[in-house]
Amino acid sequence: MLEGMFMLFIFSMGLGIPFIISAVLIDRLKDAFDFIKKHYRVINCLSGGLLVLVGILMMTGIFGRFIALFA
């Protein structure tokens, strides 16, 4: 039972800590969100292009060989 309680505690901390950090740093995060809002179109196009590129690399098998270099 103690092991289960400990695992539940660790799980809860893993879920809660990012929210606590973001609440503490909300003013700094506001600047990041303003940057994202200002450059939303560029970020969206770059992300979409990267997604298409990765998809093509996966279809051709090049992505698998690239990942195998890190294994």
Side-chain angles (χ1 to χ4, degrees):
M1 185 169 97
L2 288 175
E3 183 180 352
M5 289 172 54
F6 177 71
M7 290 173 65
L8 184 58
F9 173 75
I10 296 299
F11 177 76
S12 299
M13 288 293 106
L15 283 176
I17 287 174
F19 289 107
I20 293 170
I21 290 172
S22 64
V24 170
L25 301 175
I26 194 73
D27 288 333
R28 290 187 185 169
L29 290 174
K30 186 176 178 274
D31 294 334
F33 290 136
D34 289 340
F35 176 82
I36 291 171
K37 284 182 196 176
K38 185 176 180 183
H39 299 95
Y40 179 75
R41 177 92 174 135
V42 174
I43 293 170
N44 198 12
C45 289
L46 286 175
S47 299
L50 183 63
L51 196 60
V52 169
L53 178 66
V54 170
I56 291 170
L57 291 175
M58 289 174 78
M59 274 188 344
T60 59
I62 297 171
F63 190 75
R65 284 185 268 157
F66 179 71
I67 293 299
L69 294 173
F70 296 107

